[in-house]
Amino acid sequence: MKHSTYNVLEAYKRNKLLQYRCSLTLLLSLGLFLGSSLLFTNHLQRLQAEHAVHSSSQNLTSKSENNRCRVDRGTEALPRGIISRTSDFELRPLLGTRNDQKRSKLSMNLLAMTAGIEQKDNVNKIVMKFMLNNFTVMIFHYDGVVDEWNKFEWSSRAIHVSAVSQTKWWFAKRFLHPDIVSEYEYIFLWDEDLEVDNFDPGRYISIVKEEVLEISQPALDPKSYLHHPITIRNSTVKLHRRIVQHMDAGFECREDSEGPPCTGWVEMMAPVFSRASWHCVWHLIQNDLVHGWGMDYLLGYCAQGDRTKNVGVVDSEYVFHPGKVLLGGVGASKVRYVQRILSHWSKVSDFRRPVSLGKLFLLIWDGHNQWNCRELPKHQIKLQVQPLQISNGWTQEVW
């Protein structure tokens, strides 16, 4: 009897212990489950918050091209935030700070021009006008002479680059990369022989901004040495974007003309480019481009839209072009070169013939992604206009 009672008690105790252990296990499991749920919820909320911040940051950066987040080639090993993608031509002191540092920061426009020492007096007049309007000035010396410019007060504040017998397009391709000049609103890429008695850079920029001209030039005084009628000053208007005129060889610029040299066109001696248009033009300049002849007909591709509206000639601010023979002027070597072109004419199939003021321009495709344009006296050549096929998917009007 005692043994039977003992067995019942032992079974009862084991059952109670088992129930206790099961309850404890259940409580521990429930606690672990609730804790894991809270941790997972907090982690999920943190991930959602980080994703929202990241998405917001992406939206903000996508709205600003200048702040766009990207990895530049060669910067992969640098810490985030240390990269400087742009530069400028502002001079920096070796020690201390500049007294005119506040003024220097206001330089928002750039004048870059080729110059030889024989034109020093005229270049001095040009630079003085531009520096009074707080331009950064860059001089390309094609004759190798630099030290003789030190007599001018502004010389120490200008950037001097020297390479013998190179044109401004050679210099521009190598020293005016868009990332370098992106701090400047407008880039003036001028020849050295322009007289600026009737030109004010400040007023010119005001007009260009008001009229939203991405590519422009000052008009030429009618007494200038002229190549194209569209550049001639019209004293009755502030600016013009087209001409309506009957020209040589039956060619005519009409109201509905949509291409150069009737509209959307500037000459290469004194072009002015906005920051955005220069970013395009720099890529348009071929590495072996010399004189730039013919490139004026292609600038319209860089007009940031409709070239008939965004390209123009400013009449109220005009210059005088004396037509002096400078670097690469007409000489015996050029005549011989023209004769070689004519002797090989039978091998050339693609050309066009824009006519202006009694002169012919021959645009020749050399088969190596390069257009070469040469000005020919009318009596030296008789051509029939043929259809022009331009590679790289470009099409251009035939004149």
Side-chain angles (χ1 to χ4, degrees):
M1 185 68 179
K2 289 183 179 180
H3 181 73
S4 176
T5 303
Y6 176 80
N7 289 337
V8 171
L9 290 175
E10 286 295 325
Y12 176 78
K13 288 180 181 179
R14 285 196 300 270
N15 187 35
K16 283 292 185 180
L17 181 61
L18 181 61
Q19 289 180 356
Y20 174 77
R21 288 178 177 175
C22 290
S23 299
L24 183 60
T25 302
L26 180 61
L27 289 175
L28 290 174
S29 299
L30 182 61
L32 289 173
F33 175 75
L34 292 175
S36 299
S37 299
L38 289 174
L39 290 175
F40 177 76
T41 303
N42 291 337
H43 181 66
L44 181 61
Q45 290 176 347
R46 185 166 63 253
L47 288 177
Q48 290 174 344
E50 291 178 355
H51 177 71
V53 171
H54 182 66
S55 299
S56 176
S57 176
Q58 283 187 329
N59 291 335
L60 289 174
T61 54
S62 64
K63 293 179 181 179
S64 174
E65 184 176 352
N66 293 333
N67 295 327
R68 184 175 57 208
C69 182
R70 68 178 187 271
V71 178
D72 294 318
R73 182 181 179 183
T75 66
E76 297 86 354
L78 296 177
R80 184 176 181 180
I82 200 174
I83 300 171
S84 180
R85 293 189 177 95
T86 63
S87 185
D88 54 41
F89 292 117
E90 296 297 321
L91 301 178
R92 312 297 181 191
L94 293 176
L95 297 172
T97 58
R98 289 180 51 160
N99 294 329
D100 59 341
Q101 187 173 8
K102 183 176 180 180
R103 170 185 169 86
S104 175
K105 289 183 178 179
L106 297 177
S107 297
M108 296 299 296
N109 303 291
L110 172 68
L111 169 67
M113 60 187 306
T114 48
I117 196 63
E118 292 183 2
Q119 288 288 317
K120 61 181 184 299
D121 293 332
N122 192 63
V123 172
N124 178 52
K125 293 179 181 178
I126 296 174
V127 172
M128 289 296 293
K129 275 206 169 186
F130 278 84
M131 280 199 165
L132 287 175
N133 285 270
N134 207 29
F135 272 66
T136 297
V137 174
M138 192 173 191
I139 305 295
F140 300 136
H141 301 278
Y142 59 76
D143 57 0
V145 179
V146 179
D147 291 342
E148 292 187 32
W149 293 88
N150 291 336
K151 69 176 184 179
F152 296 110
E153 178 273 335
W154 51 263
S155 181
S156 61
R157 292 182 284 134
I159 309 298
H160 299 267
V161 179
S162 177
V164 177
S165 298
Q166 301 305 304
T167 67
K168 69 180 180 182
W169 301 109
W170 185 93
F171 285 102
K173 185 65 175 179
R174 286 151 183 82
F175 299 101
L176 297 182
H177 188 278
D179 286 350
I180 297 295
V181 300
S182 64
E183 297 296 317
Y184 303 104
E185 288 188 285
Y186 293 95
I187 295 96
F188 289 62
L189 193 57
W190 280 20
D191 290 348
E192 62 188 310
D193 61 334
L194 302 172
E195 297 182 9
V196 293
D197 295 337
N198 298 295
F199 181 83
D200 182 89
R203 290 198 297 266
Y204 183 90
I205 289 179
S206 297
I207 295 171
V208 167
K209 287 183 177 180
E210 179 184 351
E211 298 293 335
V212 196
L213 296 181
E214 298 288 341
I215 301 175
S216 62
Q217 74 159 82
L220 299 183
D221 187 302
K223 297 179 181 178
S224 300
Y225 178 76
L226 301 167
H227 289 101
H228 302 275
I230 196 172
T231 64
I232 302 174
R233 182 191 179 221
N234 183 348
S235 60
T236 64
V237 296
K238 181 170 61 175
L239 79 158
H240 64 274
R241 294 178 171 86
R242 65 169 60 245
I243 58 169
V244 179
Q245 182 176 338
H246 181 79
M247 301 166 74
D248 295 330
F251 178 70
E252 184 178 5
C253 285
R254 304 182 302 271
E255 286 285 356
D256 59 348
S257 297
E258 297 181 352
C262 299
T263 185
W265 192 91
V266 297
E267 198 167 356
M268 304 308 286
M269 72 174 68
V272 179
F273 304 99
S274 69
R275 181 191 294 116
S277 67
W278 179 251
H279 195 286
C280 171
V281 171
W282 185 88
H283 292 280
L284 177 65
I285 302 172
Q286 299 299 301
N287 194 56
D288 58 350
L289 184 67
V290 179
H291 295 287
W293 295 326
M295 199 176 79
D296 44 6
Y297 282 82
L298 304 179
L299 288 180
Y301 291 107
C302 296
Q304 308 302 297
D306 188 349
R307 65 181 173 186
T308 65
K309 297 178 180 179
N310 298 343
V311 180
V313 178
V314 177
D315 296 280
S316 58
E317 300 299 323
Y318 61 100
V319 297
F320 175 74
H321 181 221
K324 297 179 180 179
V325 177
L326 304 169
L327 172 67
V330 178
S333 60
K334 184 174 180 180
V335 172
R336 287 193 296 270
Y337 184 72
V338 170
Q339 290 173 345
R340 289 201 302 274
I341 291 177
L342 295 178
S343 66
H344 290 85
W345 173 247
S346 59
K347 300 178 182 179
V348 179
S349 60
D350 292 337
F351 71 96
R352 68 176 167 182
R353 185 185 62 172
V355 183
S356 64
L357 297 184
K359 298 182 180 179
L360 296 177
F361 288 82
L362 184 64
L363 192 60
I364 299 177
W365 178 254
D366 66 4
H368 299 285
N369 295 324
Q370 177 71 29
W371 287 101
N372 293 313
C373 186
R374 295 293 180 264
E375 179 181 333
L376 305 176
K378 183 180 287 187
H379 67 274
Q380 284 189 350
I381 186 168
K382 294 181 180 180
L383 303 174
Q384 290 183 347
V385 177
Q386 299 177 0
L388 175 65
Q389 299 294 328
I390 299 181
S391 63
N392 299 327
W394 287 4
T395 58
Q396 188 71 16
E397 295 83 359
V398 179
W399 303 99

